[in-house]
């Protein structure tokens, strides 16, 4: 058998990594500001959030479903956190725990309704998106919480590593490692993947699929809430509109990262680091396009073209590696 | 009777009838001619959009770019008339051509690369919307010929607007396509099981491209109808299509994994969604409650239509295995 | 000693309202000798997109930023960071909430504008009638300000006026069309006046009244969309609350240059106060109706010139 | 000029990591029924797919009526007069039977629209020829597996092709259905000059209807167009597996007066089972025989908690138990189930061999903090995978790339690894080659000797009689008889069939 090509090279992650490096080179040479400290710091914050949002979507895509309520859920959790800190005076650490629990709870609702009613998660989360967001607006009357403890908001603008990197990025990368560990090296992670890949077979093999699906939704809620906290720290306030109307602004990065990262939309496959690289790639391109000055009105156009190019290249890479692994 | 019970649209039809009776008992204004006119208008527009998504759901894919195509065509259509003083007919034809081209691009790339349409249309969503913004720089076009305005505003007789003509024709044609032509049946077969239909000898290339082209054309028609209705071509047309375009077919019993859509039930789904959002206005729901109500109504609508399919739908995935 | 001023004028997202900023910036470069005054638009209406754009602009060497806050609270963080980096900023067209490191807010007091518009409507109705209020996204803090301002104007009318319905979250054309028409169908015969406090609802409501041919219902819109202006001329809309985007861009760029040259705001500058900030300069809000709809551009220019002429002496202490 | 209607020479086909066909030859004579045989993974289906244009060969030529051809799509092959029943089911489940039969050539009215009356009429014709009593308007998903398979054959016939390729067409048919089918095939050959390629693992069938035999082993020809008259069962088996067949019989002595291990008492279910009583002794192989559709699979699923039991009780070691789910069954009561539908319910096709074989043991193997890695799983499952001689390039191979037989071995291996006390085995050898079949039989017996109690569902009478200790017969969701097995085929089969037809 032919094993000249190392396994890592065959993966989607490798293709992404190459693309990321290529774009870093292009942008560093063709623009002034790209490698400036300010820009890299700014990038690190944006990437941090996009990774977290992407992961939150990824764990539901794992089940073959989608979580449209992601943004609404994240904002609701963030607003809950703002309320805890500002109105209730609850200390930061406890607030964070409460918010993560709250996010998991909203995720549990998504999962429970999906599993128990048999209605597809696409529709369930379409509805809960409206419901969560509606309740959030109703309860907060669209008022922001902006008198947050300074220790908390300062964390969002803290600069590490010679002022190049935001601590938020470290949280996201750590989360990636934890998730990678869970999916690769634990019983529960394997069961989540198996349940997502073929629910019937998994069920008959003694896995409680319903429970696994609910776990995935809870994990999604947890990660979305974490993203909500991170965004709150970054903008220094909990704001109802921080993910746009109905939390929609989060949906595109949420899809882009895992999808570029090679997560299978039909479920049963996760690529934690692929999602991370996907988020990095999108952020890089977006930032680079602004710097290159294609004219902001055309940014989306070029972003689309590059995305298309990236997935086509990846397909070409796959084709090439498969062809080379054929025995002759 | 039992044959009727099996139809996807039957349950929805009952819900619609009882719902409407209930609403008009509380608010007689609901069945006033003007309200019916308004209802028909909003149904007409969404109908075309829902059909545009439905045909892609039929083959087990998703088209995230329906709104972007609709928007691009809408501003091209008005732009041609305003900037190049083109007359209506050629502008319509070019609009359709753009829709066709966008759909072709989606379908061609999807089928030739084997990459999920979700991803391809996510990328083309950016491209089409980016072109839209690049061309308009976010400025609307206002110079709409009177004939177009008339079409968007006038009534044939009673409360029936001209604007329903095209959507009704499209719905009928779509019914025929999905139920009485080989092409439509092959699309459903393909949506049911890609591998089987390839083994049977159905050409994926043809099916996928046709479905996307039809979807593109319908999105284009939707975009131009919205222009008639709004009487201006703004770059935002299509921005709000995505969710309703899925909601209506799914409420109508479509299975997102593909192979099962019902044209009549989808139309009923559109009507139901329109009635719900109208009812929220008619009953003067506090704006702070509107979202919450909407969410629960969507869930309720799906439950009502879904309950009997509990087992089948339980674990169907959005995307079939690639 | 401060180098040339390069101003970036950044709206919240693509929107026709801001289009005048582009020319205003170019004219400011011409008239005041700035290095640059560029109109740079985020690809989407999204706070994060706007932040990303602004961050990349700093990378490109812009050293002053005029921004329509993507969020009245959320935008403060980045403005603070820019200020820390020695880049002066100001809120343009809409304000950020205090505390803020933005130098000032130059624009329209959104709440006040809604209040004035409602007053005009009530006047047109002769002090009594039923009115409806159409406005934008609920989660935009400005929306709450507008809702409250309309309520306040109504309560000051002394019982004769009643708000029968508020419709919100209609910042997109199609849902706006659907909901406003549904409203007309259900309450059209009951309602006497309509006040709109966001661009899209104003356009759609004006169009609906035009389509219906209804001149009984009095409507006061907002902003200068062609549809609204035409409806005023045709008599379907009573009037509109105009803002002054050109003046905002033109004068804003000028002031940023001054600030960069070391000018300080006077301690006793006659700031106005709004619900959001007490460092507010009104860029001018005027109500136009059929009588002055054709000449409002001149009127606006007059206001702008007046502000510009007295700006230095009123607000600034400049090193000589 | 030769009288071969179809000829393939020196065909080679590569898949990533696998050489499925290696210089294989195949010649089909006019008006003959030609058996294509070989172990699982020998390359039979691949050859069929090359003939029908699903795959393109890497090397080699294909001649149709002495003319070189190459089909780039199934359509082209179809138009050239080749019809096929693939090993996998290829009906559109949400369509009616009639529409499925006519799908490639739907009749139109003069407006160009599909005429469903003609669809029903035309398809009825082919259903009648197959002696199938099915309304053409029935939706396919409402059919039993056996009926689906028959419909698929009817569909192939409806093309009226001169070449008919049948890839394991009888795998889920009852003996009666198989007999009817064979009569029909013989008639087609005699009356309509059809030539047939027949793939099967059941050698009795091959001897019953085939004229010539080609055997593949590891993608190469083990024999080519041999006359059936020159062969006997032993020779054929030797060609296929390279050694003689071993006949296995259980020679245990079960004391049927012992206490039962598992006891179902007057079970009534949601699915329609009426008053089911059965008991399973320790170490026993209890056969559950019935014609397809008798409700055996469904009974087991109810026991596993997947469907509702309305009344009655389940006793394990004389204690009443309530099984809520397969997880419950596995973890609390050590009961496992090997599904009859390996693709849908048995395996996760997109995952690799290791995670499929290990899925049932993860819970047991996990360490602190639920830690688990590949090597822990590997150590546990490797002996079983080795024992079953699963043919796979590595543990990382994706299961869907294995041949059907090897897939089945994996779905057995995972339950062996889990070490359950009670195992429900549902149609374990459908589509399994002789060699593996005897391994599996050995294994089942060995398991029961080691104390595992087994309920064996099979529609294969010889298999039932060689393995079971006691045979319970079901019909229409009821138990209709119970016989202690004396391993005498004639006696047992007539007694069982007697129970069914009484
Ligand atoms: N699409 C594919 N990709 C990779 N390998 C494949 C593919 N299809 C078949 N193979 C491999 O090719 C070999 C031949 O498979 P094939 O399905 O032809 O066997 P078969 O003789 O039909 O077996 P069975 O009796 O189990 O059906 C096997 O090793 C199988 O794993
Ligand atoms: N004649 C029939 N017509 C329609 N459906 C039937 C018929 N007989 C059985 N069924 C249903 O078909 C489904 C499939 O039955 P299946 O063949 O799996 O039964 P089984 O006895 O478990 O099979 P097997 O004997 O192969 O294990 C069951 O849900 C059963 O209720
Ligand atoms: Mg095979
Ligand atoms: Mg069965």
């Amino acid at each position: 058998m032919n094993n000249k090509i190392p396994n890592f090279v065959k993966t989607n992650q490798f293709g992404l990594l190459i693309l990321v490096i290529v774009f870093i080179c292009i942008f560093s040479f063709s623009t002034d500001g790209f490698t400036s400290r300010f820009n890299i710091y700014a990038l690190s914050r944006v990437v941090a959030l996009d990774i977290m949002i992407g992961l939150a979507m990824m764990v539901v895509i794992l089940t073959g479903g989608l979580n449209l309520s992601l943004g609404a859920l994240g904002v609701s959790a963030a607003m809950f956190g703002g309320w805890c800190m500002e109105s209730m005076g609850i200390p930061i650490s406890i607030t964070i725990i409460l918010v993560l629990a709250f996010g998991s709870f909203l995720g549990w609702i998504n999962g429970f309704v999906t599993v128990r009613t048999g209605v597809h998660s696409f529709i369930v989360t379409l509805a809960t998106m409206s419901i969560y967001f509606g309740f959030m607006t109703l309860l907060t009357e669209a008022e922001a919480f902006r008198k947050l403890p300074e220790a908390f908001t300062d964390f969002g603008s803290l600069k590490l590593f010679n002022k190049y990197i935001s601590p938020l990025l470290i949280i996201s990368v750590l989360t990636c490692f934890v998730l990678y560990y869970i999916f690769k090296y634990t019983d529960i992670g394997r069961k989540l993947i198996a349940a997502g890949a073929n629910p019937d077979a998994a069920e008959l093999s003694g896995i409680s699929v319903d429970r696994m699906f609910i776990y995935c939704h809870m994990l999604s809620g947890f990660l979305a809430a974490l993203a909500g906290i991170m965004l709150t720290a970054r903008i220094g306030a909990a704001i109802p509109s921080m993910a746009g109307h109905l939390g929609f602004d989060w949906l595109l990065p949420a899809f882009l990262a895992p999808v570029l990262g090679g997560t299978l939309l039909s479920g049963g496959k996760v690529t934690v680091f692929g999602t991370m690289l996907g988020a990095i790639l999108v952020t890089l391109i977006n930032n680079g396009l602004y710097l290159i000055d294609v004219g902001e009105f055309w940014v989306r156009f070029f972003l689309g073209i590059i995305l298309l190019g990236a997935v086509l290249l990846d397909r070409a890479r796959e084709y090439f590696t498969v062809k080379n692994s054929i025995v002759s | 009777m039992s044959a009727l019970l099996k139809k996807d649209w039957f349950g929805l039809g009952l819900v619609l009838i009882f719902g409407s009776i209930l609403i008009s008992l509380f608010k007689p204004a609901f069945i006033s001619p003007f309200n019916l006119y308004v209802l028909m208008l909003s149904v007409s527009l969404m109908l075309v959009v829902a059909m545009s998504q439905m045909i892609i759901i039929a083959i087990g894919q998703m088209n995230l770019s329906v709104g972007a195509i609709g928007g691009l065509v809408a501003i091209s259509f008005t732009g041609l008339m305003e900037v190049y003083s083109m007359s209506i007919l050629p502008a319509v034809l070019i609009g359709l051509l753009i829709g066709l081209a966008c759909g072709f691009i989606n379908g061609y790339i999807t089928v030739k690369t084997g990459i999920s349409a979700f991803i391809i249309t996510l990328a083309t969503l950016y491209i089409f919307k980016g072109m839209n913004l690049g061309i308009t720089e976010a400025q609307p076009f206002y110079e709409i010929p009177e004939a177009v305005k008339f079409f968007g505003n006038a009534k044939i007789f009673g409360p029936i607007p001209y604007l329903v003509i095209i959507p009704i024709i499209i719905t009928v044609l779509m019914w025929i396509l999905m139920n009485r032509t080989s092409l439509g049946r092959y699309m459903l077969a393909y949506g049911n099981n890609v591998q089987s239909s390839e083994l049977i000898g159905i050409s994926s290339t043809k099916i996928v491209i046709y479905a996307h082209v039809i979807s593109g054309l319908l999105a284009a028609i939707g975009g131009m109808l919205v222009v008639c209705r709004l009487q201006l071509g703004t770059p935002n047309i299509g921005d709000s299509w995505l969710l309703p375009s899925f909601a209506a077919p799914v409420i109508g019993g479509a299975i997102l994994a593909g192979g099962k859509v019902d044209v009549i039930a989808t139309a009923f789904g559109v009507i139901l969604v329109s009635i719900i959002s109208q009812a929220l206005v008619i009953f003067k729901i506090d704006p702070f409650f509107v979202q919450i109500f909407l969410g629960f109504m969507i869930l309720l609508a799906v439950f009502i239509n879904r309950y009997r399919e509990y087992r089948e739908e339980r674990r169907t995935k959005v995307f079939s295995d690639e | 000693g401060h180098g040339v001023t390069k101003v970036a004028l950044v709206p919240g997202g693509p929107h026709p309202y801001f289009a005048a900023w582009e020319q205003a910036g170019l004219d400011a470069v011409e008239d005041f000798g700035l290095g640059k005054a560029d109109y740079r638009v985020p690809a989407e209406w999204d706070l994060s997109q706007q932040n990303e754009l602004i961050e990349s602009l700093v990378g490109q060497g812009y050293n002053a930023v005029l921004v329509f806050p993507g969020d009245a609270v959320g935008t403060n963080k980045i403005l603070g960071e820019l200020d820390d980096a020695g880049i002066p900023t100001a809120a343009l067209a809409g304000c950020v909430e205090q505390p803020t490191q933005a130098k000032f807010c130059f624009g329209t007091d959104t709440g006040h504008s809604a209040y004035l518009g409602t007053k005009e409507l009530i006047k047109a109705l002769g002090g009594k009638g039923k009115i409806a209020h159409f406005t934008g996204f609920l989660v935009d803090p400005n929306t709450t300000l507008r809702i409250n301002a309309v309520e306040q104007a109504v309560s000051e009318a002394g019982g004769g006026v009643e708000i029968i319905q508020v419709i919100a979250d209609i910042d997109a054309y199609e849902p706006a069309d659907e909901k406003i028409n549904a409203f007309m169908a259900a309450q059209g015969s009951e309602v006497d006046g309509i006040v709109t406090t966001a661009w899209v609802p104003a356009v759609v409501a004006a169009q609906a009244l035009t389509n219906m041919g209804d001149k009984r219902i009095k409507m006061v819109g907002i902003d200068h969309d062609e549809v609204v202006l035409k409806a005023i001329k045709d008599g379907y809309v009573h009037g509109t609350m105009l803002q002054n985007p050109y003046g905002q861009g033109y004068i804003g760029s000028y002031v940023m240059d001054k600030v960069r040259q070391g000018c300080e705001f006077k301690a006793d500058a006659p700031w106005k106060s709004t619900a959001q900030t007490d460092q507010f300069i009104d860029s001018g809000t005027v109500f136009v109706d059929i009588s002055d709809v054709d000449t409002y551009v001149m009127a606006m220019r007059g206001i702008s010139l007046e502000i510009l002429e007295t700006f230095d002496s009123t607000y600034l202490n400049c090193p000589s | 000029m030769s009288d071969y209607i179809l000829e393939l020479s020196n065909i080679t086909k590569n898949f990533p990591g696998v050489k499925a066909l290696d210089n294989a030859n195949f010649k089909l004579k006019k008006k003959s029924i030609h058996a294509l045989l070989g172990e699982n993974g020998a390359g039979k289906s691949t050859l069929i797919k090359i003939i029908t244009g699903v795959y393109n060969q890497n090397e080699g030529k294909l001649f149709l009526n002495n003319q070189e051809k190459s089909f780039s799509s199934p359509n082209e092959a179809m138009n050239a007069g080749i019809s096929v029943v693939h090993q996998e089911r290829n009906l559109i489940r949400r369509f009616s039977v009639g529409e499925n039969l006519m799908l490639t050539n739907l009749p139109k009215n003069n407006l160009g629209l599909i005429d469903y009356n003609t669809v029903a009429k035309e398809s009825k014709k082919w259903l009648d020829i197959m002696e199938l009593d099915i309304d053409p308007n029935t939706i396919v998903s409402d059919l039993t597996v056996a009926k689906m398979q028959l419909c698929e054959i009817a569909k192939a016939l409806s093309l009226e092709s001169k070449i008919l390729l049948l890839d394991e067409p009888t795998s889920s048919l009852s003996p009666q259905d198989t007999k009817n089918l064979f009569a029909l095939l013989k008639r087609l050959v005699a009356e309509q000059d059809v030539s047939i390629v027949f793939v099967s693992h059941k050698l009795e069938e091959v001897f019953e209807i085939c004229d010539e035999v080609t055997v593949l082993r590891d993608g190469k020809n083990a024999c080519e167009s041999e006359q059936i008259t020159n062969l006997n069962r032993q020779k054929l088996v030797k060609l296929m597996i390279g050694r003689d067949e071993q006949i296995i019989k259980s020679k245990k002595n079960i004391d049927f007066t012992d206490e039962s291990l598992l006891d179902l008492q007057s079970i009534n279910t949601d699915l329609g089972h009426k008053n089911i009583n059965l008991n399973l002794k320790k170490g026993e192989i209890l056969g559950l025989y019935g014609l397809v559709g008798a409700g055996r699979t469904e009974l087991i699923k109810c026991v596993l908690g997947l469907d509702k039991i309305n009344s009655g009780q389940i006793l394990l070691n004389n204690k009443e138990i309530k099984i809520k789910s397969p997880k419950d069954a596995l973890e609390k009561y050590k009961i496992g189930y090997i599904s009859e539908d390996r693709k849908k319910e048995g395996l996760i096709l997109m995952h690799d061999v290791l995670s499929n074989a290990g899925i049932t043991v993860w819970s047991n193997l996990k360490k602190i903090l639920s830690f688990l890695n590949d090597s822990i799983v590997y150590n546990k499952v490797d002996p079983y995978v080795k024992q079953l001689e699963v043919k796979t390039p590595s543990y990382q191979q994706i299961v869907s790339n294995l041949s059907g037989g090897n897939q089945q071995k994996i779905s057995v291996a995972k339950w062996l690894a889990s070490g359950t006390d009670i195992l429900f085995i549902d149609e374990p050898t459908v589509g399994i080659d002789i060699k593996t079949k005897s391994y599996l039989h050995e294994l089942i017996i060995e398991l029961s000797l080691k104390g595992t109690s087994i309920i064996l569902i099979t529609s294969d009478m010889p298999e039932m009689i060689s393995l079971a200790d006691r045979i319970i017969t079901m019909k229409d969701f009821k138990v209709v008889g119970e016989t202690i097995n004396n391993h005498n085929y004639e006696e047992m089969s007539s007694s069982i069939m007697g129970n069914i037809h009484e």
Side-chain angles (χ1 to χ4, degrees), chain D residues 145 292-293 295-298 337 340 426-427 457:
Chain D
V145 192
V292 170
R296 297 166 297 171
T297 306
E298 284 72 18
Y337 169 65
E340 61 181 335
D426 198 351
E427 307 282 8
I457 299 175

Side-chain angles (χ1 to χ4, degrees), chain C residues 143-319:
Chain C
T143 301
T144 320
L145 291 178
R146 289 168 177 139
I147 292 177
N148 294 340
V150 171
E151 276 170 7
Q152 196 196 337
V154 166
S155 70
E156 286 171 10
V161 183
E162 180 198 355
I163 304 175
I164 56 168
Q165 195 157 356
V166 178
I167 301 181
D169 279 339
I170 45 177
D171 264 345
Y173 282 92
E174 292 151 83
D177 185 61
E178 188 176 338
K179 287 195 180 168
I180 288 175
N181 279 299
F183 169 83
M184 294 294 185
Q187 328 277 358
S189 54
E190 228 175 293
V191 74
D192 304 303
I194 292 171
V195 59
T196 61
T197 55
W199 180 290
V200 172
V203 176
V204 174
Q207 190 73 63
L209 289 175
T210 311
N211 287 350
M212 288 162 62
D214 187 319
K215 295 191 177 180
R216 183 190 67 82
I217 300 175
K218 298 267 179 290
M219 167 180 155
V220 170
I222 192 165
D223 296 330
H224 53 274
D225 191 277
E226 279 188 31
V227 172
V228 178
L229 297 181
K230 183 158 188 305
I232 294 174
K233 285 180 208 162
D234 295 347
Y236 296 110
V237 169
H238 174 61
T240 184
M241 296 302 299
L242 284 183
Q243 309 181 50
N244 185 10
Y246 179 89
Q248 291 160 359
Y250 188 67
I251 301 168
S253 304
Y254 167 78
V255 179
M256 291 326 270
D257 187 42
K258 287 284 175 196
V259 169
R260 286 205 70 257
Q261 284 164 14
C263 297
E264 304 262 337
F265 286 103
K266 284 185 176 157
D268 60 346
W271 300 114
K272 290 193 180 147
S273 286
T274 74
Q276 291 169 319
T277 178
D278 42 26
Q279 287 200 316
F280 176 71
I281 302 172
D282 195 346
S283 63
T285 311
V286 291
F287 176 80
V288 300
D289 57 18
I290 193 159
S291 62
D292 46 9
V293 66
D294 284 322
T295 53
Y296 80 94
V297 177
M298 293 310 296
M300 280 295 177
R301 191 158 294 167
I303 295 178
S304 301
L305 284 180
E306 193 184 307
I307 298 174
L308 188 63
E309 268 165 20
T310 56
F311 199 96
D312 286 11
S313 56
T314 330
Y315 290 99
L316 294 176
N317 277 329
C318 290

